[in-house]
Amino acid sequence: MSATNKIALVTGGSRGLGRNTAENLARRGFDVVITYRSNQEEAARVVAWIEAAGRRAAALPLDTGESSAFPAFAKALRTVLAGFGAEGFDVLVNNAGISHHASIAETAEADLDALYNVHFKGVFLLTQQLLPLVRDGGHIVNISSGLTRVIFPGSAAYAAMKGAVEIFTKYLAKELGPRRIRANVVAPGAIQTDFSGGVVRDDPQVNKAVSDMTALGRPGLPDDIGPMIASLVSEENRWVNAQRIEVSGGMSI
């Protein structure tokens, strides 16, 4: 898929992996729409960076845990796309997420509901809402986690939702095949961002534990993930479909 005049939508694109992905898509020639939940100032910085790189960009507010807002979001997105001179877009990256750490015994029902709303229900229903806007020949990338393979106690609820997304992605690939829309999962390992309170980045013990269990000897960085996603949606990888691709530096192998 050539990136000429292509448009990508990245949820949760104001920070961390989402921001890095948005910037790397822009480097490959995509115009980019990002969503943010509350930090409009950070979102504006991402838009300014992309525009300085010579691409068009916009930021829209969206809480992916509030599915009732999705129709209004789709309408706002149509307006942005019209401003880009387009009626649809090419790449959807379902990246927005929240963290959670508690044992199975200590996981509250409200926490489970919140994880479900953001990580599965939100991904499912937002994708459903936006399918009419995704161009034929496009690509959907859902972000999962290395935690669906590498088991860390205290991550059961979060990882289970990501596991559901991995299965959902295979069904997307099958059902959208007639439209030539690919769907893949990217599963990052432990990454040094502010996610989960920045624990991988800022806690020396966690950082060392991750390094010791990773073949390449360190935790990941945002720039280990964003370029990979931008490459995945390119024409060079046009035959990669319905796959879970772990990007973890070789954790627990």
Side-chain angles (χ1 to χ4, degrees):
M1 181 167 59
S2 169
T4 303
N5 298 320
K6 297 293 186 180
I7 302 170
L9 170 64
V10 182
T11 66
S14 63
R15 50 187 276 272
L17 300 187
R19 176 174 186 162
N20 194 278
T21 298
E23 291 176 353
N24 275 283
L25 286 165
R27 286 189 179 104
R28 280 184 169 255
F30 281 79
D31 297 328
V32 185
V33 181
I34 65 169
T35 75
Y36 64 95
R37 187 165 67 95
S38 58
N39 199 330
Q40 185 175 9
E41 185 176 338
E42 281 298 312
R45 290 193 183 102
V46 180
V47 168
W49 188 99
I50 293 171
E51 290 177 341
R55 304 309 308 176
R56 292 174 294 191
L60 292 172
L62 178 68
D63 183 344
T64 56
E66 295 290 340
S67 58
S68 62
F70 292 171
F73 172 78
K75 183 177 180 180
L77 178 60
R78 287 180 187 272
T79 300
V80 168
L81 294 174
F84 287 0
E87 295 182 354
F89 67 101
D90 304 276
V91 172
L92 170 61
V93 183
N94 283 308
N95 165 77
I98 58 174
S99 65
H100 178 263
H101 297 281
S103 69
I104 294 170
E106 296 174 340
T107 296
E109 183 176 356
D111 292 335
L112 191 66
D113 287 344
L115 288 164
Y116 169 72
N117 287 339
V118 170
H119 286 289
F120 183 66
K121 181 181 177 182
V123 170
F124 190 109
L125 293 180
L126 182 63
T127 301
Q128 179 189 69
Q129 185 72 47
L130 297 180
L131 279 179
L133 294 176
V134 178
R135 291 169 173 158
D136 290 355
H139 196 157
I140 297 169
V141 179
N142 292 325
I143 304 302
S144 181
S145 171
L147 292 168
T148 60
R149 180 183 66 84
V150 182
I151 306 305
F152 278 86
S155 300
Y158 174 85
M161 300 303 167
K162 291 299 192 182
V165 166
E166 293 183 5
I167 297 299
F168 173 54
T169 304
K170 293 182 179 182
Y171 276 85
L172 280 173
K174 188 69 170 180
E175 292 191 15
L176 299 180
R179 293 180 56 191
R180 296 175 292 104
I181 295 173
R182 293 187 291 140
N184 288 292
V185 165
V186 171
I191 307 295
Q192 299 180 80
T193 69
D194 61 0
F195 195 69
S196 293
V199 63
V200 176
R201 180 190 62 197
D202 301 333
D203 187 318
Q205 289 184 321
V206 173
N207 193 289
K208 184 180 186 303
V210 170
S211 299
D212 289 346
M213 66 189 300
T214 301
L216 293 182
R218 63 168 176 84
L221 298 167
D223 210 37
D224 294 322
I225 308 299
M228 181 272 164
I229 295 173
S231 172
L232 177 63
V233 303
S234 70
E235 178 66 17
E236 291 94 327
N237 286 303
R238 63 187 176 273
W239 206 237
V240 180
N241 194 24
Q243 301 303 304
R244 178 193 185 271
I245 303 168
E246 184 170 305
V247 191
S248 68
M251 287 188 71
S252 296
I253 56 173

